Amino acid sequence: MFKEKLLHTITSFIEEIGIGIIYQKIDEPCFLPGLKLYKGNILVDKNKLQYPGDLLHEAGHIATTLPEQRLLIGTPEMPENWPSDGDEIATVIWSYAALHKLNLAPEIVFHENGYKNQSKWLIEKFENKNYIGLPLLEWMGLCHQNSKEDSSHLTFPNMIKWLR
């Protein structure tokens, strides 16, 4: 029951920001079980999905990709070097902002079986306001960095907008 409610919370948010969720059986191997990106949408095989928080990470990939490239995701036309290391960093910090928006525990996204055994380290950094990759999100026009002069609700982890 908890997994279904969590899945609904996450997918509702993703759809609200303009990223499609398509439920279907996925037979081919995927980087993350039960998830595949295709033309700006997330394909979800509920029977194979292990961690609902992985949806936020995958949504982050779509959200931080240039609009003109989103429809190329998952196709042969997408450059082979996508996502780059910078894209991955932007996706990780975007995911943190999303879980903050949804009032979810960081472990929902940064679970023990992800992030190359760096999940605890990422949670520690983010929870201590060491927002690794934040300049990328600001450069993309998605948020404002925190400053001593500006303590408004417009500073990270709050976002100005969710899609690049």
Side-chain angles (χ1 to χ4, degrees), residues 77-145:
E77 291 81 32
M78 191 63 168
E80 282 188 34
N81 66 344
W82 184 89
S84 68
D85 290 343
D87 294 327
E88 195 63 49
I89 292 167
T91 296
V92 169
I93 189 77
W94 186 97
S95 301
Y96 180 78
L99 69 85
H100 181 267
K101 164 84 174 160
L102 298 173
N103 295 311
L104 298 176
E107 293 80 9
I108 298 292
V109 172
F110 304 105
H111 53 80
E112 63 187 21
N113 291 317
Y115 299 91
K116 300 178 183 176
N117 296 317
Q118 297 297 310
S119 297
K120 287 183 181 180
W121 180 80
L122 285 167
I123 291 169
E124 179 184 306
K125 294 298 177 194
F126 293 151
E127 294 293 290
N128 287 312
K129 299 185 183 345
N130 183 358
Y131 299 128
I132 302 158
L134 182 56
L136 288 170
L137 292 187
E138 184 177 41
W139 175 74
M140 292 175 181
L142 300 177
C143 69
H144 294 298
Q145 288 191 35

Side-chain angles (χ1 to χ4, degrees), residues 36-47:
K36 183 177 178 181
L37 299 182
Y38 186 69
K39 293 188 174 187
N41 297 294
I42 304 174
L43 309 181
V44 180
D45 186 333
K46 282 179 149 184
N47 293 321

